[in-house]
Amino acid sequence: MKNKITPKGSFGYIQNRRKFTALRTILYFALSISLYVAGYVTTGSNKNLLTIVAVLGCLPSCKSAVNFIIFLRAKGCSQELRDAVKKFDTELTSFYDLYFTSYQKNYQVSHMVLKGNVLCGITESEKCDVNEAQKHLEQMLLQEGIKNMTVKIFSDRRKYIDRLSQLTELETEENKNRDEIVNLLYSISLS
């Protein structure tokens, strides 16, 4: 049986999480509503303990609804871009469907690779400010104590694929902070 959960950083992650959060939100609200109805039917009034539990149950329901709305706004990597960069997945550490959030803006990065001290990505969103996205990622890396990293976000597919070709030819040793960088990327992106 095929695994239904797409791991973070894989192609289709955002689409998969969008479906999951929609189902979870419906389930949470249905549970709260059923508790309220059960309390009302059994006591004939909404002044009972089940009403309080149902109202408190709305807190995770609303949190899940907000998460669902964010996933609705996020767009994943297009199939065309995936087909263009798929050949680099074996030689480079690749990530798909990353959606970074900050206090000021959100940054959609469709594909990103890590090789040595280079972190390189592409956005397919015209709304994404690539310079701000680079600064945000550099700042997050520095806050984690990861220094000497080069971060570049592209908006032009041709230039990005050229850069990926250059990175595959680049002879460099694996970054000693590789696991910390991967964990950081996953922790600051939409989950």
Side-chain angles (χ1 to χ4, degrees), residues 23-39 50-51 53-58 60-61:
L23 290 173
R24 182 182 63 198
T25 302
I26 291 168
L27 178 68
Y28 285 177
F29 276 115
L31 185 61
S32 291
I33 290 168
S34 64
L35 285 172
Y36 175 77
V37 170
L50 286 178
T51 300
V53 173
V55 170
L56 290 175
C58 286
S61 305

Side-chain angles (χ1 to χ4, degrees), residues 127-161:
K127 296 178 183 178
C128 182
D129 184 349
V130 294
N131 293 325
E132 289 294 321
Q134 287 173 190
K135 288 178 188 174
H136 175 68
L137 289 173
E138 288 169 351
Q139 181 183 9
M140 293 291 110
L141 288 165
L142 284 174
Q143 284 180 1
E144 288 295 312
I146 302 168
K147 299 178 182 174
N148 301 324
M149 288 293 297
T150 302
V151 179
K152 178 67 176 162
I153 306 294
F154 291 87
S155 57
D156 183 354
R157 184 180 298 185
R158 187 180 49 76
K159 289 180 182 177
Y160 180 64
I161 291 174

Side-chain angles (χ1 to χ4, degrees), residues 18 38-39 42 44 47-48 51-52 54 60 75 78 103 111 122 124 127 133 138 142 182:
R18 188 179 300 141
T42 57
K47 296 178 182 175
N48 58 59
T51 300
I52 295 170
K75 305 292 183 229
S78 68
Y103 291 116
H111 184 257
I122 184 169
E124 294 178 289
K127 296 178 183 178
E138 288 169 351
L142 284 174
V182 171

Side-chain angles (χ1 to χ4, degrees), residues 61-148:
S61 305
C62 291
K63 181 180 184 238
S64 183
V66 168
N67 201 3
F68 172 65
I69 291 168
I70 292 172
F71 273 111
L72 277 179
R73 294 184 50 153
K75 305 292 183 229
C77 181
S78 68
Q79 185 64 43
E80 297 83 28
L81 179 62
R82 181 176 191 258
D83 292 340
V85 299
K86 192 162 97 174
K87 61 184 174 187
F88 300 105
D89 287 351
T90 56
E91 299 176 39
L92 302 169
T93 304
S94 294
F95 312 97
Y96 291 91
D97 294 353
L98 297 176
Y99 193 82
F100 300 107
T101 56
S102 71
Y103 291 116
Q104 293 81 21
K105 294 183 180 182
N106 298 330
Y107 311 104
Q108 174 188 320
V109 179
S110 300
H111 184 257
M112 184 170 264
V113 296
L114 172 64
K115 174 122 185 212
N117 289 340
V118 177
L119 192 59
C120 184
I122 184 169
T123 181
E124 294 178 289
S125 171
E126 292 100 25
K127 296 178 183 178
C128 182
D129 184 349
V130 294
N131 293 325
E132 289 294 321
Q134 287 173 190
K135 288 178 188 174
H136 175 68
L137 289 173
E138 288 169 351
Q139 181 183 9
M140 293 291 110
L141 288 165
L142 284 174
Q143 284 180 1
E144 288 295 312
I146 302 168
K147 299 178 182 174
N148 301 324

